Amino acid sequence: MAPHHTIRRAPRARVRARLLSTLRASLCAARLCSSFATFASLAAVAALHTPAAHAANNDPVVLVHGFLGFGPEAFQSSGFKYWGGFNDLVAHMRGPNGEHRVFAASVGPVSSSWDRAAELYYQIKGGCVDYGSKHTARHAHDGAIQKPPGKCWTADPANNPENYPIALHPAWDAQHPVHLVGHSQGGQTIRLLIELLENGSPDVDEGGAELYLGGKLKWVKSVTTLATPHNGSSLREAMFGVMPLPVAPTEVAAPADAPPAPQAAPRQRPPQRGAKAAFWKQSVIDSVQWEMTPDGAKEFNKWVRTSPHVYYFSMANVATESGSYCCNETDRMLAPIQSVQYQYPRKDMAPLTKPYAGEYIVPSLFRPGMGSYTQFGAGRVRVDEAWFPNDGVVNTVSMKSPAGHPVREFDGTAVAGTWNFVATYRGHDHFDMVGWPRKEELTLPIYDNISKIIFAL
């Protein structure tokens, strides 16, 4: 279904037509109509060969995947991609003639947002990952080290004796900013990266690494988040003790017909810091399992600020329906009897998440699912009926903006320093937002919308 409101387009065509009409009248008055025809033909040819000419900017775009996600180096033999499934959203956003620079990043699939932000910084700018001395010492529950060997990207391909991967945008600074687009946890990763860029580490001294010194204002032009749990998700708490810990995150994320990810050279894909951590334990707070809970997200939102220098856009989605006696597009095999006060997964929701999205976690009839889970504990974030609609992974109410941060409805005019909420995509589950496995009819319009917005800034 279409979003509940659409982007207002500037009347550029009408303005252009009036200008051409005025020019034609002037030339014809001077008996130079043939000159106008020649001019118009040349202008049309030029327009065809300069597709980015009408864009207000052509800054690079970096796409950041979510929890259990993977980069373009995975599943190459199958052609399956995080961004697009068996389609290619990166190529789509680049445009038919490759006029835009669009990249897909590869960060830790089960790592904390801090670790992922550090990896994202060096992957874009170049250099070797440094997680920060004080942060590493405080959260070294998995024996993590501050500077893992070989986890580097080169900013100078001509001087690369170690044969490191090429950095995505080595010129990155305030004069050469980037647009960042994040799906799910990718949105939190991006927000934390901006906090570190502009304000540095809360501990100030992280061993001298450039990332944690702050002062890097306007390095990011825009942020766009899709299905991001800005205020956490009830999934983790509803499923605690039910869902098994994934051993190989990329295997869980991949479709059934995709072969295992190829083994790359150690320096290209070293073990992630979070891979050995007991990240599902509630006591481990430097991890995605804590940050994606409502209580963890509340703490995250207290110190990870919304920058006044950045344009923020958010997009939400929902793949559940209110309970009904019949005919509500839900999976009746999963929930034949429904209550009107709860939410139930649609028939077309991804099978991986469908059992957890409704009133109960199927096949259990004793554990509430996301469609009915509540929490009213003293001193904790209240989870009530507003949280019931969800996309199978994230509650829709959490996707709009971080609680307590400025937010407005996007009306076609972007405002920096506040969250511009674009739309809620109904009938889209968590994986539809990235086109899994073959959902181009649902997904491509979303990314066309993103391109129109960010390249017009």
Side-chain angles (χ1 to χ4, degrees):
M1 296 177 64
H4 70 271
H5 60 280
T6 57
I7 306 304
R8 187 181 301 163
R9 299 183 64 180
R12 295 178 180 172
R14 293 197 299 272
V15 173
R16 188 163 53 249
R18 285 198 297 269
L19 289 174
L20 288 174
S21 178
T22 301
L23 178 60
R24 184 181 188 281
S26 298
L27 290 172
C28 287
R31 299 182 180 181
L32 293 173
C33 289
S34 58
S35 298
F36 172 79
T38 302
F39 167 80
S41 298
L42 291 174
V45 172
L48 290 173
H49 288 83
T50 56
H54 300 301
N57 74 87
N58 196 22
D59 298 316
V61 180
V62 180
L63 308 180
V64 186
H65 65 72
F67 175 63
L68 294 180
F70 48 90
E73 75 281 356
F75 309 119
Q76 292 183 13
S77 60
S78 72
F80 188 82
K81 302 171 182 63
Y82 185 90
W83 298 97
F86 288 107
N87 293 299
D88 191 342
L89 288 175
V90 172
H92 182 78
M93 290 189 72
R94 284 174 179 161
N97 299 309
E99 60 264 30
H100 301 305
R101 290 170 293 165
V102 183
F103 307 98
S106 179
V107 294
V110 296
S111 299
S112 68
S113 293
W114 178 290
D115 289 2
R116 288 160 57 99
E119 293 164 11
L120 181 58
Y121 171 78
Y122 291 102
Q123 192 168 158
I124 298 173
K125 183 68 174 173
C128 296
V129 172
D130 186 332
Y131 295 110
S133 57
K134 290 186 178 179
H135 183 84
T136 299
R138 181 179 294 112
H139 300 290
H141 45 73
D142 58 342
I145 58 175
Q146 179 184 346
K147 301 177 182 180
K151 201 166 191 175
C152 306
W153 290 264
T154 183
D156 183 4
N159 182 23
N160 187 18
E162 297 292 336
N163 196 30
Y164 291 133
I166 309 302
L168 303 180
H169 184 46
W172 189 24
D173 59 19
Q175 286 70 49
H176 306 87
V178 297
H179 300 286
L180 298 176
V181 177
H183 174 244
S184 196
Q185 192 199 0
Q188 291 166 306
T189 301
I190 290 168
R191 290 176 51 208
L192 181 48
L193 174 59
I194 295 172
E195 175 67 29
L196 295 175
L197 287 171
E198 297 194 354
N199 302 301
S201 168
D203 290 320
V204 183
D205 181 12
E206 289 284 358
E210 183 69 23
L211 170 60
Y212 307 107
L213 300 180
K216 301 175 184 63
L217 307 180
K218 299 184 179 181
W219 282 39
V220 176
K221 176 162 287 186
S222 78
V223 169
T224 304
T225 63
L226 304 98
T228 290
H230 292 295
N231 300 303
S233 169
S234 64
L235 175 65
R236 185 274 209 172
E237 295 187 339
M239 294 177 59
F240 187 74
V242 176
M243 187 180 80
L245 181 68
V247 176
T250 51
E251 292 180 10
V252 174
D257 59 342
Q263 296 298 315
R267 63 169 166 264
Q268 293 178 320
R269 298 189 66 201
Q272 304 295 339
R273 291 220 306 176
K276 297 181 181 179
F279 69 90
W280 210 252
K281 289 184 178 180
Q282 296 185 65
S283 59
V284 179
I285 64 172
D286 180 44
S287 65
V288 60
Q289 68 81 23
W290 167 248
E291 293 167 352
M292 75 178 182
T293 66
D295 295 318
K298 179 180 179 180
E299 295 301 315
F300 185 88
N301 293 336
K302 285 181 179 178
W303 73 276
V304 178
R305 288 159 280 194
T306 294
S307 168
H309 309 291
V310 178
Y311 292 96
Y312 293 86
F313 304 95
S314 60
M315 298 182 177
N317 55 296
V318 60
T320 58
E321 301 284 351
S322 298
S324 175
Y325 295 111
C326 74
C327 315
N328 60 353
E329 298 300 318
T330 64
D331 189 335
R332 287 285 170 173
M333 293 288 291
L334 206 64
I337 302 175
Q338 300 180 1
S339 171
V340 295
Q341 62 183 313
Y342 300 129
Q343 291 275 314
Y344 299 87
R346 290 172 53 89
K347 290 181 292 188
D348 52 4
M349 180 183 281
L352 178 67
T353 57
K354 191 182 293 185
Y356 314 109
E359 181 180 1
Y360 293 106
I361 294 178
V362 178
S364 170
L365 291 179
F366 303 100
R367 297 190 67 92
M370 294 179 70
S372 71
Y373 179 85
T374 58
Q375 197 290 120
F376 305 110
R380 301 188 62 192
V381 173
R382 178 186 176 92
V383 177
D384 55 20
E385 64 275 6
W387 291 69
F388 292 169
N390 66 86
D391 70 353
V393 176
V394 179
N395 311 81
T396 303
V397 71
S398 184
M399 302 176 189
K400 187 172 186 178
S401 64
H405 294 224
V407 60
R408 63 187 290 273
E409 299 289 325
F410 181 62
D411 59 1
T413 301
V415 177
T418 188
W419 285 88
N420 298 270
F421 177 61
V422 177
T424 295
Y425 291 90
R426 301 191 176 278
H428 290 58
D429 67 34
H430 200 68
F431 303 108
D432 290 334
M433 299 302 282
V434 287
W436 289 18
R438 299 182 187 276
K439 297 290 183 70
E440 61 268 23
E441 73 281 1
L442 295 179
T443 310
L444 295 186
I446 298 174
Y447 290 83
D448 289 339
N449 201 8
I450 293 172
S451 294
K452 289 177 184 178
I453 294 171
I454 64 177
F455 292 126
L457 295 174

